[in-house]
């Protein structure tokens, strides 16, 4: 089994930056997509960014140009660099990894890390 642990969240002023990290407990094989999701109180969990096994990225319109997702396979870690943060970015951010083995998808989730953007 795989465990994902996020870190790097915290309190930051509008316009500031944070870098979130998500480290897997073991080397993961057959990973199709890794991504970051977020959920604000009372709202649905939404996709923030994804990174495929071939290096393609996708971002929510609300974060394009501000956030960057990247991965380090040697370190079993995926990152989310967040710049020009806005109050509306405040949410719990969750790391996700989708592993496909024999055509079966397995989703792994981190525990979440709080990001608060406030002056």
């Amino acid at each position: 089994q795989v465990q994902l642990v996020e870190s790097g969240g915290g309190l930051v002023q509008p316009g500031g930056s944070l870098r979130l990290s998500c480290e897997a407990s073991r080397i993961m094989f057959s990973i199709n997509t890794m991504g970051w999701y977020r959920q604000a109180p009372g709202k649905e969990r939404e996709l923030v960014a994804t990174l495929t096994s071939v290096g393609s990225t996708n971002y929510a319109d609300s974060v394009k140009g501000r956030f960057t997702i990247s991965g380090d396979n040697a370190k079993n870690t995926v990152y989310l660099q967040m710049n020009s943060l806005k109050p509306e970015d405040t949410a719990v951010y969750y790391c996700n990894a989708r592993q496909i083995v024999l055509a079966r998808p397995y989703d792994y989730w981190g525990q979440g890390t709080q990001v608060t953007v406030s002056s």
Side-chain angles (χ1 to χ4, degrees):
Q1 59 181 0
V2 176
Q3 294 183 356
L4 303 176
V5 180
E6 301 100 333
S7 62
L11 175 64
V12 65
Q13 294 183 353
S17 298
L18 285 173
R19 188 181 75 163
L20 306 183
S21 298
C22 172
E23 184 176 359
S25 61
R26 57 180 288 181
I27 297 176
M28 293 184 289
F29 300 94
S30 302
I31 296 298
N32 178 254
T33 305
M34 296 197 72
W36 288 94
Y37 293 72
R38 67 186 182 187
Q39 186 170 22
K43 296 184 178 181
E44 297 290 330
R45 184 174 299 187
E46 64 176 352
L47 174 71
V48 176
T50 59
L51 174 67
T52 72
S53 60
V54 295
S56 298
T57 58
N58 186 52
Y59 299 92
D61 288 340
S62 60
V63 306
K64 286 182 179 178
R66 300 188 298 120
F67 291 11
T68 302
I69 186 171
S70 62
D72 186 341
N73 289 337
K75 201 175 179 180
N76 298 326
T77 303
V78 63
Y79 305 95
L80 183 68
Q81 178 67 47
M82 305 185 294
N83 299 323
S84 302
L85 284 162
K86 305 175 181 179
E88 50 263 44
D89 294 319
T90 296
V92 176
Y93 284 70
Y94 298 91
C95 178
N96 168 263
R98 172 163 287 190
Q99 184 182 49
I100 299 178
V101 180
L102 299 178
R104 293 184 177 183
Y106 298 87
D107 280 305
Y108 302 91
W109 293 91
Q111 82 288 347
T113 185
Q114 177 71 47
V115 172
T116 302
V117 185
S118 176
S119 60

